[in-house]
């Protein structure tokens, strides 16, 4: 009985231990399951966030579209600005020369022709008449140039206007104008005497008087460059600018042919514009003569302004 009782006690103790072990194992298993589940959930969560979080970036700043400027673009712009400025300067100088020299030249030539015929008794086909009109042309250029720049300096107060220089420039241009003015009447007489059409007389006068002006300009440079410090001696460079100026002066003398209403009036395209008729008052005739040379010069010089490269024309300020 004692054995049985001891055995039963031992069995009860072992059973209690066994049940505790079972519960312990169950608890461990349960904990492992929970840990596994937790691990699974953690893994799942990590899988969800395995990629780096995408930050919502602000849209790129929008700037107004601006052109890209390259060095060559800047150079092109400067060239365009210079070309525009140069063209404006060309026409400004053209206008000044027309007012200060070309109109006075035509006015002076016509005035001296009246003086030569009515007061000196020279016939229109004489050399004395030609020389007198040439002198009148030169006086018109000299007086017009000096008066214009003296008035401009007085009105504007521009101290850069050097009247000694302007006087010498006026003398240079007047010397050339004497040559073209002297050549005009004999040349027109020869061309009209050959019974040429008006346009051929017009063109021949343009070329002939333009050439006379150029030769006079070169000769005056040679003679006056010594005593006159502001007159440059003849060079290859100023020969090119002298040629372009002479071409424009030729245009002035060509339009002056249009004042003669007696020769082939039907062909004279300037008849109604600058024609001087027998009944035209003398003073008005002088003004018309100046207008004709001014129109011719502007027409010729406008063409030159448009076609000559920058820096190559007489009025480019070189």
């Amino acid at each position: 009985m004692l054995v049985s009782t001891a055995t039963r006690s031992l069995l009860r103790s072992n059973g209690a231990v066994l049940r505790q072990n079972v519960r312990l194992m169950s608890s461990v298993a349960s904990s492992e399951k929970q840990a596994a589940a937790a691990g699974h959930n953690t893994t799942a969560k990590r899988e969800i966030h395995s990629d780096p979080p995408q930050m919502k970036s602000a849209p790129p700043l929008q700037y107004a579209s601006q052109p890209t400027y390259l060095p060559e673009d800047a150079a092109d712009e400067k060239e365009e600005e210079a070309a525009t400025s140069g063209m404006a300067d060309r026409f400004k100088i053209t206008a000044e020369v027309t007012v200060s020299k070309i109109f006075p030249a035509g006015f002076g030539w016509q005035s001296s022709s009246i003086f030569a015929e009515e007061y000196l008794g020279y016939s229109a086909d004489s050399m004395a008449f030609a020389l007198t009109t040439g002198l009148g042309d030169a006086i018109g250029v000299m007086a017009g140039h000096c008066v214009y720049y003296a008035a401009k300096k007085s009105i504007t107060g521009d101290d850069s206007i050097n009247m000694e220089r302007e006087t010498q420039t006026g003398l240079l241009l007047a010397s050339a104008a004497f040559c073209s003015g002297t050549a005009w009447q004999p040349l027109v007489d020869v061309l009209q005497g050959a019974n040429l059409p008006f346009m051929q007389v017009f063109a021949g006068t343009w070329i002939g008087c333009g050439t006379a002006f150029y030769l006079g300009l070169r000769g005056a440079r040679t003679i006056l460059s010594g005593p006159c410090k502001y007159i440059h001696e003849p060079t290859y460079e100023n020969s090119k600018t002298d040629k372009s100026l002479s071409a424009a002066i030729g245009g002035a003398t060509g339009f002056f042919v249009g004042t003669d209403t007696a020769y082939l009036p039907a062909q004279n395209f300037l008849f109604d514009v600058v024609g001087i008729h027998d009944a035209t008052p003398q003073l008005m005739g002088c003004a018309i003569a100046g207008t004709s040379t001014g129109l011719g010069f502007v027409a010729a010089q406008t063409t030159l302004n448009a076609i000559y490269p920058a820096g190559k024309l007489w009025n480019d300020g070189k």
Side-chain angles (χ1 to χ4, degrees), residues 63 102 128 185 208 231 312:
Y63 296 96
I102 306 304
Q185 188 65 60
I231 296 178
K312 301 296 184 181

Side-chain angles (χ1 to χ4, degrees), residues 29-234:
S30 177
S31 297
E32 290 178 353
K33 289 181 179 180
Q34 291 177 358
H40 177 73
N41 290 337
T42 303
T43 303
K45 289 181 180 178
R46 286 177 180 172
E47 288 176 356
I48 292 173
H49 299 289
S50 59
D51 294 334
Q54 299 294 323
M55 298 298 293
K56 186 176 180 181
S57 60
L61 295 176
Q62 300 295 321
Y63 296 96
S65 176
Q66 298 291 336
T68 300
Y69 291 101
L70 301 176
E72 53 268 28
D73 295 332
D76 290 342
E77 286 187 356
K78 289 182 179 179
E79 288 178 1
E80 290 178 2
E81 291 177 0
T84 302
S85 176
M87 187 63 70
D89 288 342
R90 282 181 173 184
F91 280 100
K92 177 184 176 182
I93 295 172
T94 298
E96 286 188 337
V97 170
T98 302
V99 172
S100 65
K101 288 173 276 294
I102 306 304
F103 179 89
F107 191 99
W109 193 100
Q110 187 68 17
S111 299
S112 61
S113 72
I114 295 171
F115 183 77
E117 280 189 310
E118 295 189 2
Y119 295 96
L120 299 179
Y122 298 148
S123 62
D125 58 354
S126 65
M127 180 55 65
F129 179 90
L131 291 171
T132 303
T133 52
L135 181 60
D137 199 325
I139 292 173
V141 170
M142 182 71 183
H145 181 82
C146 293
V147 169
Y148 177 84
Y149 281 99
K152 183 178 179 179
K153 181 174 183 177
S154 176
I155 293 171
T156 64
D158 187 355
D159 293 333
S160 66
I161 297 177
N162 182 333
M163 287 310 300
E164 182 183 2
R165 179 183 62 208
E166 298 305 334
T167 300
Q168 292 181 12
T169 300
L171 179 61
L172 172 68
L173 297 173
S175 300
F178 172 78
C179 296
S180 59
T182 299
W184 191 88
Q185 188 65 60
L187 181 59
V188 170
D189 287 345
V190 169
L191 295 173
Q192 289 181 347
N195 294 318
L196 297 176
F198 175 82
M199 287 304 299
Q200 291 185 18
V201 176
F202 174 85
T205 303
W206 184 323
I207 296 170
C209 288
T211 302
F213 185 90
Y214 175 76
L215 295 175
L217 196 57
R218 303 305 287 175
R221 284 190 184 279
T222 302
I223 297 171
L224 299 175
S225 58
C228 300
K229 65 179 180 180
Y230 292 107
I231 296 178
H232 298 288
E233 64 182 1

